Amino acid sequence: MQFTLVTVFLLTGCGGVQSKQITALKGSQLPEQQGWEVSTNVVRPLDVNTNGSILTLNTIGVLRAIDQIPGKGFMWFYKDIPLDFQSGFSIEFTLQVHKVEQPHNFLDSGIMFYGSIDTTAGAFAGEPRSHMIFFDEDAIGWGDEKGTFKMVTTDSFHTYTLKVEGGRFAKVYVDGKLALKRNDWVGISRIGFGDMTNDDGVNGKFSIGDIIVTSGPRGLPSQPAPRPHLIPPSRRGG
């Protein structure tokens, strides 16, 4: 069984409002082949691969380039995306955690997703680190720990949706269920994912599917529905 995702199209919402949808990342190709930049201190080749539909990334046991020592490597990818802060937007992706060497700590995580990230200051982790979504084996949450959601992230792929409205109101849904929210979102048109810390042992291995960005929330339901069709049949489980 095969499936195809349309990378760019328009959705007509209520009152004729149109929403633009793009695939910011295809799981069938390596990130750097799609224009993603990488922030890393590990030896190349990077431990990133695709099975043709899903990317798998790993920093557990990966050597740091300067001294060939494992444990303190970081590797995350970022890309400028045309997010619509006036009308609102959503970012959706499927992700499965395979292993977390050590759980996240405050503002640091071995597996994370940035829905808003500034890399211009030159810091290897970027800012605001408070707004990242961390992924542990038993929970997800905001980087500043203002909200956490207990769940098993290793059992299968889950669909995660970050939805931002009104410029500063952010909600995160897991398989259509509200998991996190905050009202101080900082709007930056750049997103990222991976391991963003060089803390010793705070590393992880995970797989991620296509990252889909939709601008214009009026063309979307108020609560996203689970989208199992975004998960390749071979990875759905059950």
Side-chain angles (χ1 to χ4, degrees):
M1 179 178 179
Q2 295 181 337
F3 69 101
T4 302
L5 286 175
V6 179
T7 57
V8 181
F9 59 94
L10 295 178
L11 301 174
T12 302
C14 299
V17 176
Q18 291 184 321
S19 296
K20 184 177 181 181
Q21 188 173 94
I22 66 171
T23 300
L25 175 78
K26 297 178 182 179
S28 59
Q29 295 178 284
L30 298 179
E32 290 177 286
Q33 295 174 343
Q34 304 176 63
W36 289 74
E37 303 289 338
V38 62
S39 177
T40 187
N41 66 347
V42 305
V43 297
R44 289 182 178 268
L46 303 179
D47 194 353
V48 182
N49 60 79
T50 177
N51 67 355
S53 58
I54 293 293
L55 284 170
T56 298
L57 297 82
N58 175 58
T59 53
I60 297 175
V62 173
L63 302 180
R64 188 168 57 172
I66 60 172
D67 51 17
Q68 306 295 297
I69 295 176
K72 295 187 177 182
F74 63 87
M75 177 183 66
W76 65 280
F77 296 89
Y78 60 93
K79 187 177 185 179
D80 291 348
I81 300 294
L83 302 176
D84 187 341
F85 296 109
Q86 182 175 0
S87 298
F89 63 90
S90 68
I91 304 173
E92 183 176 81
F93 56 93
T94 57
L95 185 147
Q96 180 179 13
V97 173
H98 297 299
K99 184 178 180 180
V100 171
E101 187 175 13
Q102 290 184 23
H104 84 283
N105 55 51
F106 187 71
L107 302 181
D108 285 304
S109 181
I111 302 176
M112 65 82 197
F113 181 82
Y114 273 128
S116 175
I117 179 64
D118 183 5
T119 60
T120 58
F124 69 86
E127 296 290 345
R129 293 163 73 173
S130 59
H131 284 30
M132 74 171 180
I133 303 169
F134 71 76
F135 294 84
D136 286 343
E137 293 185 1
D138 60 355
I140 68 169
W142 298 118
D144 58 4
E145 300 179 344
K146 286 187 175 180
T148 60
F149 180 72
K150 292 293 184 180
M151 63 174 291
V152 178
T153 61
T154 58
D155 58 346
S156 64
F157 279 87
H158 294 276
T159 301
Y160 298 91
T161 306
L162 168 65
K163 187 174 181 181
V164 177
E165 298 177 299
R168 64 188 188 92
F169 298 97
K171 297 179 180 179
V172 175
Y173 297 85
V174 179
D175 299 327
K177 179 179 180 179
L178 181 62
L180 303 168
K181 60 182 179 179
R182 65 187 308 139
N183 61 5
D184 60 350
W185 189 257
V186 177
I188 303 169
S189 296
R190 186 178 297 116
I191 65 177
F193 64 96
D195 176 344
M196 45 66 71
T197 179
N198 62 354
D199 282 8
D200 193 10
V202 185
N203 304 298
K205 181 178 181 180
F206 69 101
S207 293
I208 187 170
D210 294 4
I211 299 177
I212 300 172
V213 179
T214 305
S215 296
R218 287 174 290 182
L220 299 173
S222 58
Q223 178 172 324
R227 297 190 182 184
H229 68 280
L230 296 179
I231 304 175
S234 63
R235 294 299 187 103
R236 290 178 188 172

